[in-house]
Amino acid sequence: MNRFKVSKFRHTEARPPRREAWISDIRAGTAPSCGNHIKASCSLIAFNSDRPGVLGIVPLESQGEDKRQVTHLGCHSDLVTDLDFSPFDDFLLATASADRTVKVWRLPASGQALPSGPGLLLGPEDAQVEVLQFHPTADGVLLSAAGRAAKVWDATKQQSLTELATHGDLVQGAAWSRDGALLGTTCKDKQLRIFDPRAKPEAAQSTPAHENSRDGRLVWTGTQEHLVSTGFNQMREREVKLWDTRLFSAALTSLTLDASPRSLMPLLDPDSGLLVLAGKGENQLYCYEVAPQQPALSPVTQCLLESALRGAALVPRRALAVMGCEVLRVLQLSDTAIVPISYHVPRKTMEFHEDLFPDTAGCVPASDPHAWWAGSGQQVQRVSLHPARRAHPSFTSCLAPPAEPTPATARPAGTPVGDADPSEGFSSPPSSLTSPSTPSSLGPSLTSTSGIGTSPSQRSLHSLLGPSSKFRHAQGTVLHRDSHITNLKGLNLTTPGESDGFCANQLRVAVPLLSSGGQVAVLELRKPGRLPDTALPTLQNGVAVTDLAWDPFDPYRLAVAGEDARIRLWRVPPEGLQEVLTMPEAVLTGHTEKIYSLRFHPLAADILASSSYDLTVRIWDLKVGAERLRLQGHRDQIFGLAWSPNGQQLATVCKDGRLRIYEPRGSPEPLQEGPGPEGARGARVVWVCDGHYLLVSGFDSRSERQLLLYSAKALASGPSAVLGLDVAPSTLLPSYDPDTSLVLLTGKGDTRVFLYELLPEAPFFLECNSFTSPDPHKGFILLPKTECDVREVEFARCLRLRQTSLEPVAFRLPRVRKEFFQDDVFPDTTMSWKPALSAEAWLEGANGTPQLLSLQPPGMTPVSQAPREAPARRAPSSVYLEEKSDQQKKEELLSAMVAKLGNREDPLPQDSFEGVDEDEWAKYLAQIIVMGAQVVGRAFARALRQEFAASRAAADARGRAGHQSAAASNLSGLSLQEAQQILNVSKLSPEEIQKNYEHLFKVNDKSVGGSFYLQSKVVRAKERLEEELRIQAQEDRERQQPPKT
């Protein structure tokens, strides 16, 4: 072979498309994994959405002019780490997850509902699954890598064929060879290994690959002998190496790129040998040609991207536009769009080029798992890419056969998809929740809390977009500065993470100060404004404050916990704190270690629960000032505790990774236990959904903040849903509103407040608009419901603590008919300031029911009883769509301009000047200035009229010939001037046109080095000029005819 042979891809160019060809309006996400986050078959694209465990699904090609709709598939209870389409079945998708499982899904054709569950489940593994790939020749064989082992699965039997466990560290990459006989792996121990999985589970060959252990990848070329690996060298530079398995001790060739910290994703097309290198977070793609025979990695082209790359995938070769010489297509995943980038080889003729598009692997598998494992080496039959010879066989894998339509879901042929019941279809909620025990698509909820109606139009919308919260458009607004409390000095920012940092009721707010002695300032919410520069009157606790809480049934009593293991009860005067108080009303002693949480009973007066570093929860009777109950069973620090809404149970979340529910009056030991958050950095717990569920905020093993939703009746079975939010150091503090089922989540030092509506069924979480502040807040708490401005549809009022101020934040819902009481947003609320029973009664076993209060203002009619508005009548569309000629448009424009400039027939101001008194010169001077402007305007209008008349006369003079000439240009695709330039003629002479045509047609013949393309241009130019000659001759004849009388 000639070593210096010129590559056929040397002129390959990358063509980023226009924005109209992008798949926009998506919300992509990336997981900390070894996957590429996006994959494509010949029909579909799947990508990681910004919601953990949820994939976006979109057709590869658009259908007509309709915009491609993105639907969402809830796959796993944790991050999707990798995914892969079957090479034979375009609608078979395998997904791997951090929840340690592998699932195979049967996706429907466009316009149909996504599946409610996977076709099959593999696992769980001992660690999160990092890599997943289908076998290239056998249907039903899967390769997965988790932790230090790689497994080959017979998916048809849902069992492992072999486990390749000789790796010394985390497996970072794994890939099948083109013929499916071998597989290679890259590992964090810097070794590149080759396995023959049917021969033995140990590596057949192993060699040091890259000197740095960061994120190594590999791909095989079109032969069994060669593969390409990417990684980092000892100098942390990115490098690419070409390997020969027959000479595996050293790489054939290597290429060093740069010192970027971004890991490379290698995308290699084995048929063409083109290798695309994509770096996560970068704005550039590198394209190389892999030539193992030379050997060489030859640069081909580079492509600059408009946005940062989050993931990349190759479109299968069978889906390329071969007649346009498209040799490669890369799908770039960005934060908000999928951008298809085509690589074209310029060719002179628009025809099929055999040298660019050799036969490729078809879509019919060569064997099944049993035959392959028995030693079959049969290869997939290759098919031609020529459009005229291309066969279109369809193959449906047996792994997840298509579901037969049941009578409940079958529809007549004429029934629109959108009119189906939404519970039968798939929905794409804004949140990423599924049940780990019963994986499902995120189906819609029709409960009253979801705010979803059941009208046909609503069902049609929700079948496409999924369930959505009626609070999704909620708007958080900081109220006017007049309601702020400013000039707050000496704020204590070192309160424990288990504390909210401050507390408030409908009258006052208590804020710990940094000064010595455990001082707490009590501020009046009814008296906003600037605080004095002098020292404020405070409550002197004597020790550092760890937590504090207002008594919900006594607005003047404040409980403060200190580091000395004591609880102090303070009585604030009704007129406010006017002087420093040093003696509390009562002191509760009993704990032996520092106290860090206080919670008042929601229904019983004078009942307080506290948790301490002594690993106990103690329940106090404040009326007698003594401990009455003690709860045990914790083995580490108690992060948080919460009373159930009915006050009968108490839940705790602990650093030992356990979530517990107690019945304090029944037993000191927990009634139930279940697994809590994996992270040990902090957690909170709150009862939600009428006390049927527990919401826990905490951290996972990778320090990502997450929410876990548990059924209060089945803690041992683990969370029903898990939602990952972000990575931040502070614990999320949940504030739950039982009236709307909304939870507000934020942390100390955050600038964002998350809003979610909670449902007792899938999808469990409905995301709403979040509130973002320009600077971090030190605390964020929810005020009682009675503080909301119901007339402004304000469903929540909060207090935001800043470094030197305290400001109220109102969350409102945009509504059209605000003159009516929005009874769907404001149900009867609990009278949280009135106890349902006494402490003595509760301790004796009695239970109470809270009283309810209507929030409907007097004189307002509920919106549910409001009369319906008559739909506004619209004018016929013909009124708006009436087409106007260019002549009419010009005349209207001219009339409008003249009307604005004034009528030239109007009398001028000087016509009425008969005599001007000297004292009136100032007034007339202004009129003279106006007069000058009008004169100039009239002159401009007159000039416009004259110019327009001249142009109209010229158009009339041209007559029909001008229109015919323009029509000829449109039909031929060439203007008169272009045709004259091509044939090099200045005057329209038939002899000159014919002479130049014959000469140019001859010199551009293909036999003398020309091309059909140039000859076609010459012919079209001649036809255009001949048509112009015909038009001129017709015009001359019309002029010679006498005018008709």
Side-chain angles (χ1 to χ4, degrees):
M1 180 178 178
N2 185 1
R3 180 180 179 87
F4 303 102
K5 182 179 179 180
V6 177
S7 171
K8 58 191 172 186
F9 299 109
R10 65 188 182 280
H11 297 307
T12 300
E13 57 182 15
R15 299 179 182 175
R18 295 182 177 180
R19 285 185 175 266
E20 292 78 9
W22 294 12
I23 304 174
S24 304
D25 300 328
I26 68 170
R27 297 173 61 183
T30 56
S33 66
C34 301
N36 290 1
H37 310 306
I38 182 172
K39 285 292 175 68
S41 69
C42 292
S43 302
L44 298 174
I45 301 173
F47 63 93
N48 282 69
S49 72
D50 63 339
R51 303 184 289 278
V54 177
L55 293 180
I57 309 294
V58 64
L60 177 65
E61 302 292 346
S62 59
Q63 304 297 325
E65 297 182 357
D66 296 337
K67 185 178 179 181
R68 281 176 279 190
Q69 296 293 333
V70 179
T71 55
H72 292 86
L73 177 68
C75 300
H76 295 269
S77 61
D78 208 334
L79 299 169
V80 176
T81 52
D82 200 9
L83 62 155
D84 193 27
F85 277 102
S86 167
F88 314 112
D89 190 336
D90 290 346
F91 300 95
L92 193 69
L93 176 68
T95 59
S97 172
D99 64 8
R100 305 180 181 182
T101 62
V102 174
K103 298 178 183 179
V104 179
W105 303 83
R106 164 66 57 186
L107 302 180
S110 178
Q112 300 180 12
L114 289 178
S116 59
L120 57 89
L121 173 68
L122 304 177
E125 297 295 290
D126 296 332
Q128 80 171 27
V129 184
E130 295 286 352
V131 183
L132 186 65
Q133 190 180 27
F134 276 101
H135 195 274
T137 65
D139 178 48
V141 177
L142 269 171
L143 167 66
S144 68
R148 300 189 176 191
K151 281 187 179 181
V152 179
W153 296 87
D154 179 356
T156 59
K157 298 180 180 179
Q158 296 181 273
Q159 65 182 19
S160 171
L161 293 175
T162 184
E163 181 174 349
L164 315 175
T166 58
H167 302 87
D169 210 325
L170 175 70
V171 179
Q172 297 173 328
W176 291 104
S177 62
R178 183 76 182 276
D179 60 0
L182 303 177
L183 65 87
T185 64
T186 56
C187 184
K188 201 171 182 179
D189 62 4
K190 310 175 188 178
Q191 292 290 312
L192 176 62
R193 295 176 173 87
I194 304 297
F195 292 85
D196 184 351
R198 294 178 292 185
K200 58 181 180 179
E202 292 80 20
Q205 298 186 72
S206 177
T207 187
H210 301 274
E211 297 176 347
N212 197 300
S213 62
R214 289 189 55 199
D215 206 0
R217 307 284 186 93
L218 82 157
V219 287
W220 290 80
T221 65
T223 65
Q224 181 182 352
E225 293 80 17
H226 298 95
L227 68 155
V228 175
S229 68
T230 61
F232 293 81
N233 61 19
Q234 194 172 11
M235 303 301 295
R236 298 183 180 179
E237 296 174 318
R238 298 188 298 184
E239 60 182 4
V240 186
K241 292 186 177 182
L242 177 62
W243 303 86
D244 189 336
T245 56
R246 298 164 298 185
L247 303 170
F248 208 50
S249 59
L252 294 178
T253 184
S254 63
L255 175 69
T256 301
L257 294 181
D258 49 32
S260 171
R262 312 288 187 179
S263 59
L264 289 173
M265 293 180 288
L267 307 174
L268 190 143
D269 176 25
D271 291 334
S272 63
L274 292 179
L275 172 68
V276 175
L277 300 175
K280 291 183 179 179
E282 293 188 342
N283 294 76
Q284 191 170 7
L285 295 177
Y286 302 90
C287 183
Y288 292 85
E289 184 179 5
V290 180
Q293 293 79 10
Q294 296 185 12
L297 294 169
S298 305
V300 176
T301 185
Q302 297 183 11
C303 178
L304 294 178
L305 308 176
E306 291 190 28
S307 56
L309 183 142
R310 303 302 178 195
L314 287 181
V315 172
R317 201 163 177 78
R318 289 180 282 116
L320 298 180
V322 293
M323 298 305 292
C325 295
E326 183 187 24
V327 295
L328 207 66
R329 191 188 307 168
V330 177
L331 298 178
Q332 176 211 352
L333 179 66
S334 65
D335 290 330
T336 59
I338 298 174
V339 183
I341 301 170
S342 296
Y343 288 79
H344 291 258
V345 176
R347 291 291 173 95
K348 294 181 179 179
T349 57
M350 298 294 290
E351 59 185 29
F352 181 76
H353 298 273
E354 298 280 356
D355 60 326
L356 295 181
F357 301 102
D359 291 352
T360 189
C363 61
V364 178
S367 59
D368 58 17
H370 177 74
W372 176 80
W373 186 247
S376 171
Q378 189 173 357
Q379 296 300 300
V380 176
Q381 183 178 359
R382 304 182 74 81
V383 295
S384 173
L385 293 178
H386 196 295
R389 302 194 299 268
R390 185 186 300 182
H392 297 279
S394 61
F395 176 79
T396 302
S397 175
C398 62
L399 291 184
E404 294 294 334
T406 62
T409 59
R411 290 185 294 269
T415 304
V417 176
D419 289 339
D421 189 289
S423 62
E424 299 171 5
F426 173 79
S427 56
S428 56
S431 300
S432 58
L433 272 297
T434 55
S435 167
S437 57
T438 56
S440 64
S441 64
L442 310 185
S445 167
L446 300 181
T447 60
S448 59
T449 58
S450 66
I452 299 174
T454 58
S455 67
S457 61
Q458 288 174 323
R459 289 198 302 265
S460 175
L461 178 64
H462 297 138
S463 64
L464 289 174
L465 303 179
S468 58
S469 172
K470 60 188 171 188
F471 300 97
R472 62 188 179 278
H473 299 305
Q475 299 174 353
T477 307
V478 177
L479 297 185
H480 193 269
R481 187 175 177 84
D482 292 345
S483 60
H484 298 188
I485 299 177
T486 60
N487 199 32
L488 181 60
K489 299 180 179 179
L491 181 65
N492 184 9
L493 304 178
T494 60
T495 53
E498 294 77 19
S499 171
D500 291 342
F502 73 114
C503 65
N505 57 18
Q506 62 269 32
L507 299 177
R508 299 178 175 88
V509 57
V511 182
L513 300 181
L514 191 59
S515 54
S516 61
Q519 300 184 39
V520 175
V522 179
L523 311 176
E524 300 291 323
L525 291 178
R526 301 291 188 260
K527 299 178 181 179
R530 179 182 174 87
L531 296 176
D533 294 329
T534 57
L536 296 174
T538 58
L539 306 176
Q540 298 279 356
N541 290 275
V543 294
V545 175
T546 55
D547 198 15
L548 65 171
W550 289 101
D551 189 336
F553 309 118
D554 187 347
Y556 307 110
R557 181 161 62 180
L558 178 68
V560 180
E563 289 188 348
D564 60 352
R566 297 183 179 185
I567 301 173
R568 293 167 175 83
L569 302 178
W570 296 90
R571 173 73 54 180
V572 179
E575 65 276 6
L577 197 61
Q578 305 293 332
E579 59 182 1
V580 176
L581 298 183
T582 58
M583 293 297 296
E585 182 182 56
V587 178
L588 306 178
T589 59
H591 282 294
T592 58
E593 297 285 347
K594 181 173 66 173
I595 301 170
Y596 42 76
S597 291
L598 297 176
R599 296 293 183 271
F600 278 94
H601 196 279
L603 298 179
D606 299 320
I607 294 293
L608 176 68
S610 62
S611 60
S612 166
Y613 276 94
D614 61 12
L615 308 185
T616 64
V617 175
R618 309 195 183 207
I619 298 176
W620 308 83
D621 183 352
L622 303 186
K623 191 171 184 179
V624 299
E627 172 191 336
R628 302 297 296 271
L629 300 171
R630 184 183 304 181
L631 308 180
Q632 302 174 349
H634 302 93
R635 295 186 292 274
D636 208 328
Q637 176 186 352
I638 304 171
F639 282 143
L641 70 159
W643 288 99
S644 62
N646 58 15
Q648 300 178 22
Q649 296 179 331
L650 188 142
T652 64
V653 59
C654 186
K655 193 176 181 179
D656 61 9
R658 306 295 292 176
L659 180 65
R660 298 174 175 87
I661 292 180
Y662 291 84
E663 283 191 354
R665 296 173 296 183
S667 170
E669 298 297 327
L671 178 68
Q672 291 187 68
E673 272 193 58
E678 297 179 1
R681 297 179 55 182
R684 289 295 186 92
V685 61
V686 62
W687 294 77
V688 298
C689 299
D690 297 326
H692 299 296
Y693 282 84
L694 284 169
L695 178 67
V696 177
S697 64
F699 296 85
D700 64 7
S701 57
R702 296 179 299 277
S703 297
E704 181 185 30
R705 296 196 295 190
Q706 61 177 194
L707 302 178
L708 303 95
L709 193 65
Y710 295 82
S711 172
K713 296 181 179 179
L715 287 190
S717 60
S720 302
V722 179
L723 171 65
L725 291 182
D726 56 9
V727 177
S730 58
T731 305
L732 285 170
L733 310 178
S735 300
Y736 180 69
D737 178 17
D739 296 341
T740 58
S741 294
L742 284 175
V743 62
L744 294 84
L745 301 132
T746 190
K748 298 177 184 177
D750 287 0
T751 58
R752 182 179 180 185
V753 180
F754 299 93
L755 268 77
Y756 287 93
E757 182 180 354
L758 304 180
L759 304 179
E761 56 187 15
F764 299 105
F765 288 79
L766 298 180
E767 186 178 4
C768 306
N769 277 349
S770 58
F771 167 76
T772 304
S773 55
D775 57 336
H777 40 250
K778 312 306 176 186
F780 201 91
I781 60 174
L782 186 66
L783 291 176
K785 197 76 170 186
T786 52
E787 299 303 303
C788 297
D789 187 353
V790 176
R791 296 182 182 273
E792 293 296 325
V793 201
E794 179 184 330
F795 60 86
R797 176 74 64 90
C798 301
L799 282 180
R800 177 174 176 257
L801 181 63
R802 301 174 60 196
Q803 183 78 38
T804 59
S805 65
L806 191 70
E807 56 189 30
V809 180
F811 288 87
R812 294 168 178 166
L813 197 62
R815 286 292 174 95
V816 176
R817 310 178 72 183
K818 293 170 63 174
E819 67 272 16
F820 295 98
F821 172 65
Q822 310 294 320
D823 50 349
D824 61 324
V825 178
F826 299 104
D828 292 348
T829 189
T830 302
M831 299 176 65
S832 57
W833 58 92
K834 289 189 176 181
L837 67 167
S838 64
E840 183 179 0
W842 182 81
L843 290 169
E844 291 177 355
N847 297 316
T849 302
Q851 302 180 44
L852 299 179
L853 172 70
S854 174
L855 295 175
Q856 180 179 347
M860 287 190 74
T861 304
V863 71
S864 59
Q865 302 175 12
R868 287 192 174 184
E869 292 182 333
R873 296 189 62 182
R874 296 184 178 179
S877 58
S878 59
V879 175
Y880 304 102
L881 302 179
E882 180 181 0
E883 295 186 1
K884 299 178 181 179
S885 64
D886 292 341
Q887 183 71 18
Q888 290 174 324
K889 294 177 181 177
K890 290 179 179 178
E891 290 179 353
E892 289 181 1
L893 175 61
L894 181 60
S895 300
M897 294 178 65
V898 171
K900 284 185 176 293
L901 294 173
N903 192 341
R904 60 187 178 92
E905 318 304 343
D906 292 342
L908 295 174
Q910 65 264 29
D911 297 339
S912 60
F913 288 0
E914 297 178 356
V916 182
D917 187 67
E918 294 182 355
D919 296 336
E920 297 181 358
W921 270 112
K923 178 179 70 175
Y924 286 123
L925 181 60
Q927 293 184 356
I928 291 171
I929 295 174
V930 174
M931 175 193 66
Q934 290 180 343
V935 170
V936 174
R938 291 191 185 96
F940 178 65
R942 189 178 300 110
L944 276 178
R945 287 180 181 274
Q946 294 173 355
E947 180 63 26
F948 181 72
S951 64
R952 183 165 54 186
D956 292 339
R958 286 194 302 268
R960 235 171 5 141
H963 297 291
Q964 292 177 353
S965 179
S969 297
N970 290 334
L971 289 175
S972 64
L974 285 178
S975 66
L976 178 60
Q977 291 78 10
E978 290 174 341
Q980 288 179 303
Q981 289 176 357
I982 291 174
L983 291 187
N984 193 23
V985 295
S986 56
K987 296 181 180 181
L988 294 184
S989 170
E991 294 79 13
E992 186 178 2
I993 292 173
Q994 184 65 26
K995 178 182 177 181
N996 291 1
Y997 163 73
E998 292 175 354
H999 170 72
L1000 292 173
F1001 189 86
K1002 183 177 180 180
V1003 299
N1004 284 289
D1005 191 81
K1006 189 174 182 181
S1007 61
V1008 295
S1011 68
F1012 290 128
Y1013 174 78
L1014 295 178
Q1015 284 183 325
S1016 67
K1017 281 285 188 180
V1018 173
V1019 172
R1020 289 171 59 196
K1022 177 176 177 289
E1023 292 174 347
R1024 175 66 184 90
L1025 295 180
E1026 289 175 344
E1027 180 66 15
E1028 189 66 24
L1029 289 173
R1030 187 191 65 80
I1031 293 172
Q1032 290 183 0
Q1034 181 180 359
E1035 180 184 358
D1036 293 339
R1037 288 194 300 270
E1038 291 177 352
R1039 288 177 180 175
Q1040 294 174 1
Q1041 292 179 359
K1044 296 181 181 180
T1045 58

